C-alpha cells in the first residue's frame, strides 16, 4: 500500500502533543492531550496510542498508509533499542520498551529519540539546519540539552548518550548542578541558573528593577538588563560568558559548520548570539570558526512534534 503519512509524538511530563503529516512533513492535523503521568507508564503509552489513532482517523488514514511514527521523549533514551531508560519527570518509565509497545499495538514502524535530539533533527529538516549536515544544537531552557548532528543524523556515542552538552564541566569548583556534579554549563547558563544567580545577588543589592517582581525567571533578568539594570546586566554577562566558553570548547573539539541555539532562554535574541561569538573568538581558534555560523533556532511553538516528524524522516529516508 502507498505510504502517505508520518506521525510525530512529543511526549512531555504534562502534555502529549501529536501531529499527522504528509510524507514531506507538512502538518495536516494536531492533537494535544494531558499526559496524566501520575497514572503510570501503561496508561501513558495507551494515551499515546489513542492519540495516534485519533490523528489517523482525522485523515481517514489506514494503518498501511502510515510510513512511521516518531516519538520524542524527555530523559535518557536508547534510540537504537527503543526504550526510555530514565526520565525524571515521568516516574515509572524506567527501562520502558515504548517502541515495542507501540509497534505491537499498531503494527507501524516506530522510532524513539530524546526530545532535544529530536528537536535538532526538526531543525535539520524544517528549521535553521537547512543544507547543513554537521551542526550542534543546544536548547537552553530550564536545563541545557543538545545534540551533535554528524553527517545528517545524531552522533550517538557508544551507548547512545553523546551530546549531553549541559553537563560538560566548566569549573569543578563551581556551583552544584542537578546532575550531582559541580560547575556544569547548565549550572551557569540555564534559565534556572540565571534566575538563581539573580535572586542570590538581589539579596545584597539595594536597588534593582528586579525588586519589582515577585517571581524572577530568566525572562525578567533579560528584560531588566535590556532596560539598563546593572544587576541584571551583570548576571546576563556572567551567564553568557560561560555559555560562550562552553560553546567555544565545542567549536575547538568538533569544528561544526553551524551552532543552533534554541529553547526558552534563546528568545532573548541577538544578545545571546553576539556574546557567544565574542567568547568563541576569544577562546577558540580562527581556522575552527572562520566558516562557522551561530544562529537562533527557527522552530518555536511546535518544535517538539516537528522534531518527532524529523526523527521519522531521518531514520526512514536516511540523511537529508
Ligand atoms: Zn550537570
Amino acid at each position: 500500500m502507498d505510504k502517505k503519512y508520518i506521525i510525530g509524538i512529543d511526549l512531555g511530563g504534562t502534555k502529549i502533543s501529536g501531529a499527522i503529516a504528509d510524507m514531506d512533513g507538512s502538518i495536516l492535523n494536531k492533537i494535544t492531550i494531558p499526559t496524566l503521568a501520575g497514572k503510570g507508564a501503561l496508561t501513558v503509552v495507551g494515551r499515546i496510542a489513542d492519540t495516534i489513532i485519533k490523528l489517523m482517523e482525522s485523515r481517514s488514514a489506514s494503518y498501511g498508509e502510515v510510513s512511521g511514527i516518531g516519538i520524542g521523549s524527555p530523559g535518557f533514551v536508547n534510540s537504537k533499542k527503543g526504550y526510555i531508560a530514565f526520565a525524571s519527570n515521568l516516574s515509572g518509565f524506567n527501562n520502558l520498551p515504548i517502541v515495542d509497545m507501540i509497534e505491537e499495538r499498531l503494527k507501524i514502524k516506530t522510532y524513539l529519540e530524546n526530545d532535544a535530539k529530536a528537536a535538532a533533527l526538526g531543525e535539520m529538516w524544517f528549521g535553521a539546519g537547512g543544507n547543513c549536515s554537521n551542526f550542534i544544537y543546544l536548547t537552553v531552557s530550564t536545563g541545557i540539552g543538545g545534540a551533535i548532528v554528524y553527517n545528517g543524523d545524531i552522533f550517538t556515542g557508544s551507548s547512545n548518550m553523546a551530546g549531553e552538552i549541559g553537563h560538560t564541566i566548566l569549573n569543578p569548583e563551581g556551583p552544584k548542578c542537578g546532575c550531582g556534579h559541580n560547575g556544569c554549563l547548565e549550572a551557569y547558563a540555564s534559565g534556572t541558573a540565571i534566575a538563581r544567580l539573580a535572586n542570590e545577588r538581589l539579596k545584597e543589592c539595594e536597588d534593582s528593577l528586579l525588586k519589582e517582581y515577585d517571581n524572577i525567571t530568566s525572562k525578567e533578568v533579560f528584560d531588566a538588563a535590556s532596560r539598563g539594570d546593572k544587576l541584571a546586566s551583570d548576571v546576563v554577562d556572567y551567564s553568557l560568558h560561560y555559555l560562550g566558553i562552553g560553546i567555544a570548547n565545542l567549536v575547538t573539539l568538533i569544528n561544526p559548520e553551524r551552532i543552533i541555539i534554541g529553547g526558552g532562554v534563546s528568545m532573548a535574541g541577538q544578545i545571546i548570539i553576539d556574546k557567544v561569538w565574542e567568547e568563541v573568538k576569544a577562546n577558540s581558534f580562527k581556522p575552527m570558526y572562520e566558516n562557522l555560523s551561530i544562529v537562533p533556532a527557527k522552530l518555536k511553538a511546535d518544535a517538539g512534534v516537528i522534531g518527532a516528524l524529523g526523527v521519522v524522516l531521518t531514520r526512514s529516508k536516511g540523511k537529508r
Side-chain angles (χ1 to χ4, degrees), residues 166-167 177-181 184 186:
H167 300 290
C177 179
C179 73
H181 296 158
C184 297
E186 181 169 301

Side-chain angles (χ1 to χ4, degrees), residues 9 24 146 176 273 312:
I9 296 288
D24 294 324
K176 196 87 180 161
I273 305 289
V312 181

Side-chain angles (χ1 to χ4, degrees), residues 4 6 62 64 70 94 107 111 121 132 192 208 237 247 256 273 308:
K4 291 183 182 166
I6 57 174
S62 68
N94 294 357
K107 315 287 183 221
Y111 308 89
L121 296 178
C132 185
T192 312
S208 163
D237 280 351
I247 291 177
I273 305 289

Side-chain angles (χ1 to χ4, degrees), residues 155-218:
F155 176 76
T156 61
S158 64
S159 49
N160 213 57
M161 298 291 289
E164 286 296 335
I165 293 161
H167 300 290
T168 54
I169 294 172
L170 301 181
N171 173 11
E173 279 77 45
K176 196 87 180 161
C177 179
C179 73
H181 296 158
N182 285 79
C184 297
L185 173 58
E186 181 169 301
Y188 284 106
S190 64
T192 312
I194 292 169
R196 188 197 70 235
L197 282 163
N199 276 308
E200 281 170 9
R201 293 193 187 185
L202 202 54
K203 287 179 199 146
E204 292 143 31
C205 177
E206 288 294 296
D207 73 305
S208 163
L209 293 170
L210 291 172
K211 295 226 183 246
E212 292 170 16
Y213 302 102
D214 293 332
N215 180 34
I216 299 170
T217 69
S218 61

Side-chain angles (χ1 to χ4, degrees), residues 234-280:
D234 286 351
V235 170
V236 164
D237 280 351
Y238 181 83
S239 286
L240 294 186
H241 164 69
Y242 281 99
L243 182 65
I245 301 273
I247 291 177
N249 284 342
L250 295 174
V251 171
T252 302
L253 192 64
I254 311 272
N255 185 210
E257 289 172 48
R258 196 171 296 174
I259 305 265
I260 301 174
I261 305 176
V265 173
S266 73
M267 305 286 184
Q270 193 60 34
I271 182 175
I272 294 185
I273 305 289
D274 291 345
K275 185 73 183 171
V276 167
W277 256 127
E278 199 181 303
E279 299 292 353
V280 166

Side-chain angles (χ1 to χ4, degrees), residues 292-314:
L292 175 72
S293 56
I294 304 177
V295 297
K298 275 199 185 145
L299 304 178
K300 303 277 192 282
D302 290 328
V305 280
I306 294 172
L309 294 169
V311 173
V312 181
L313 292 173
T314 305

